[in-house]
Amino acid sequence: MDIDKLINEAQDQVKDQFDLIDKMCEMNSEKVLKAFWKNKISETHFSSTTGYGYSDIGRDTIEKVFSDIFNSEDSLVRSQFISGSHALTVALFALLRPGDVMLSISGLPYDTLHEVIGIKDNNSSLKSYGIGYKQIDLINNDFDYKKIKETLEEEKIKLIEIQRSKGYSTRKSLTIDKLERVIKEIRKINKDVIIMVDNCYCEFVEDRNPIDVGADIIVGSLIKNLGGGIAPNGAYISGKHDLIELCAQRLTLPGEGREVGPTLGINKSILQGLFFAPFVVASSLKTAILTSKVFDNLGYKVEPKYDDIRADIVQNIEFGDEKKLIKFCQGIQMGSPIDSFAIPEPWDMPGYSDKVIMAAGTFTQGSSIELSCDAPIREPYIAYMQGGLTYEYGKLALRCAIINLQKQGE
Ligand SMILES: *Cc1c(COP(=O)(O)O)cnc(C)c1O
């Protein structure tokens, strides 16, 4: 097999998709630039605080920039959030009280939330505080409208959680159009239920975000899309002011809330990462689309297909074979800039039920806006690939992965 021919032919076949992505990148870049203009970003905002972090003008302005980009009332953008899962946890504990019930309408939530909610036992779960959980699975990759209506009419639900990206499942990720439709239906029945969206991996993939279509609060990670590969850690929560205020009180402490939180020198990185984010997301999407087309041409099952409308940056490739899956992930690692010589193996990761293999030769530990590929070791052996700081590096890593897979006897 001539690998370069295979990849370049696929690249020629996806030109139209790449053009659409370039347009999206332009629109989202304009959104970012306008927010920088409006908030008069200057070198002052690169300054840093230590200790309590009172009066951090950079931090407070970054939060305004995020709100402008999302079209939301308020935002919390903090390095004190360890990751996206932590920000989701803070939001859930901030918004729910004993006796309340939360409802997931996108099926089983992301693996790391199982112990948070109490789907899997943990003495500090929401369940341990007497907070209930209900779940409605998707049907045919869309919301189960009938069940949602019934549940909202029959029960008192405090908060609805919607996870857009598929996580380690085989369902499709949820586009803004689907979100818009379900939120309209929910609002016909219940005006007050808090609609919270796990927006991980979805930022800047489309030209609208969940707030634009009526979500109350959204959550995402800064070592994914919006960090642009430059933010060293952190996460954001954005949405209605009163809800963000509750999250701030819970993140730090009641009484101090958002007034504290030292930035320790990362303000410039967060701003610069955000500046790059539309382009980096576009590069990730191009890498995903090329991979999808290459493996489609090779006869593998892929999700999404190269010409599907995408909601996130994740690309699934179904290998149907444990060895092939592992070889592919190891090949992605070989094509990475950092730790290219390390060979990832499946291991028991905290927060996950199956063994997971993670290829991530990244500048920032665990960053998945940088090209990375992970997979739970279970049938049908699907690789979840995402990220790519530039398309060219993504393409080179894909080449390494295919060469490594071929050694396996492909
Ligand atoms: C990545 C991700 C999260 C958060 O993961 P962290 O690694 O904790 O940042 C949550 N939900 C979904 C759907 C994700 O993809």
Side-chain angles (χ1 to χ4, degrees):
M1 179 168 63
D2 182 341
I3 288 170
D4 289 313
K5 189 163 167 255
L6 172 79
I7 293 178
N8 287 322
E9 269 176 15
Q11 184 177 256
D12 288 339
Q13 292 163 340
V14 299
K15 280 214 162 71
D16 291 349
Q17 280 66 45
F18 280 20
D19 286 346
L20 291 173
I21 286 168
D22 288 337
K23 287 202 185 89
M24 192 65 71
C25 180
E26 223 174 284
M27 279 194 280
N28 285 320
S29 298
E30 191 178 5
K31 239 183 247 177
V32 171
L33 192 57
K34 281 186 169 161
F36 274 56
W37 289 344
K38 186 177 162 197
N39 291 285
K40 298 192 163 64
I41 297 301
S42 73
E43 201 170 351
T44 320
H45 301 114
F46 302 160
S47 64
S48 175
T49 52
T50 54
Y52 295 119
Y54 290 127
S55 309
D56 191 313
I57 186 178
R59 179 194 68 209
D60 296 347
T61 309
I62 285 168
E63 293 181 337
K64 291 200 177 90
V65 169
F66 270 66
S67 299
D68 288 333
I69 289 170
F70 284 129
N71 227 344
S72 66
E73 291 175 13
D74 203 356
S75 303
L76 264 187
V77 183
R78 300 287 166 132
S79 67
Q80 282 79 23
F81 289 127
I82 300 305
S83 68
S85 304
H86 182 212
L88 286 159
T89 303
V90 167
L92 290 171
F93 275 93
L95 304 177
L96 295 162
R97 295 288 178 276
D100 286 346
V101 178
M102 72 171 275
L103 169 69
S104 162
I105 59 168
S106 45
L108 193 63
Y110 194 68
D111 295 50
T112 52
L113 294 182
H114 296 182
E115 285 184 55
V116 174
I117 294 169
I119 296 168
K120 195 174 162 197
D121 279 342
N122 185 298
N123 288 337
S124 298
S125 67
L126 290 164
K127 189 178 170 190
S128 78
Y129 285 86
I131 294 162
Y133 170 73
K134 296 214 156 239
Q135 178 180 317
I136 299 174
D137 291 337
L138 296 172
I139 43 169
N140 299 324
N141 290 307
D142 205 346
F143 297 102
D144 188 339
Y145 282 90
K146 191 164 161 277
K147 273 215 186 111
I148 292 172
K149 187 165 186 279
E150 279 167 14
T151 307
L152 288 177
E153 280 168 353
E154 284 162 19
E155 298 189 46
K156 200 167 176 319
I157 303 292
K158 177 72 174 290
L159 177 146
I160 292 179
E161 203 241 4
I162 305 173
Q163 179 186 310
R164 297 188 60 202
S165 190
K166 61 178 81 99
Y168 290 138
S169 81
T170 54
R171 71 159 168 95
K172 286 185 200 292
S173 297
L174 296 160
T175 59
I176 290 290
D177 278 347
K178 282 184 184 161
L179 221 59
E180 181 170 35
R181 223 182 112 215
V182 81
I183 291 175
K184 271 195 186 131
E185 290 305 311
I186 292 167
R187 287 301 178 223
K188 280 183 197 162
I189 308 162
N190 189 328
K191 293 229 169 332
D192 301 321
V193 65
I194 299 167
I195 301 176
M196 172 176 138
V197 176
D198 176 349
N199 205 31
C200 281
Y201 283 140
C202 298
E203 302 93 346
F204 290 155
V205 173
E206 298 182 79
D207 59 342
R208 295 186 299 168
N209 82 81
I211 301 284
D212 293 321
V213 296
D216 295 310
I217 187 163
I218 59 177
V219 183
S221 165
L222 291 189
I223 57 170
K224 292 183 177 172
N225 301 21
L226 287 189
I230 293 179
N233 85 319
Y236 72 85
I237 306 180
S238 189
K240 293 256 165 71
H241 172 70
D242 55 336
L243 304 181
I244 297 300
E245 200 45 47
L246 285 168
C247 293
Q249 300 288 322
R250 171 73 208 194
L251 170 63
T252 65
L253 56 150
E256 296 188 15
R258 67 190 313 155
E259 302 301 324
V260 293
T263 49
L264 309 172
I266 69 163
N267 286 341
K268 182 182 168 197
S269 304
I270 290 188
L271 285 163
Q272 204 166 9
L274 183 62
F275 182 77
F276 276 114
F279 173 77
V280 174
V281 170
S283 302
S284 302
L285 286 169
K286 287 180 183 178
T287 304
I289 288 169
L290 179 71
T291 305
S292 179
K293 188 64 183 153
V294 164
F295 278 91
D296 190 25
N297 289 350
L298 285 172
Y300 287 85
K301 202 166 148 193
V302 291
E303 210 306 297
K305 295 255 195 191
Y306 75 101
D307 57 353
D308 283 342
I309 293 175
R310 283 172 191 254
D312 64 13
I313 61 170
V314 182
Q315 179 62 49
N316 287 16
I317 310 145
E318 189 176 313
F319 285 97
D321 180 280
E322 181 176 340
K323 282 209 186 93
K324 279 187 189 170
L325 171 70
I326 292 172
K327 280 283 170 195
F328 179 79
C329 293
Q330 290 173 340
I332 291 288
Q333 183 81 34
M334 288 171 191
S336 301
I338 312 298
D339 294 332
S340 57
F341 50 87
I343 299 173
E345 297 285 347
W347 63 298
D348 289 305
M349 269 183 64
Y352 296 85
S353 314
D354 292 282
K355 280 199 166 160
V356 178
I357 182 167
M358 291 214 156
T362 56
F363 289 89
T364 297
Q365 189 193 95
S367 165
S368 47
I369 187 61
E370 299 180 52
L371 185 66
S372 50
C373 186
D374 32 77
I377 304 300
R378 64 175 177 236
E379 286 187 7
Y381 301 106
I382 296 172
Y384 295 78
M385 195 189 94
Q386 61 275 315
L389 295 180
T390 76
Y391 169 66
E392 288 73 15
Y393 287 123
K395 186 177 163 184
L396 287 167
L398 174 64
R399 188 171 180 276
C400 283
I402 295 172
I403 290 171
N404 200 50
L405 190 61
Q406 225 184 3
K407 282 192 202 140
Q408 174 62 25
E410 166 57 32

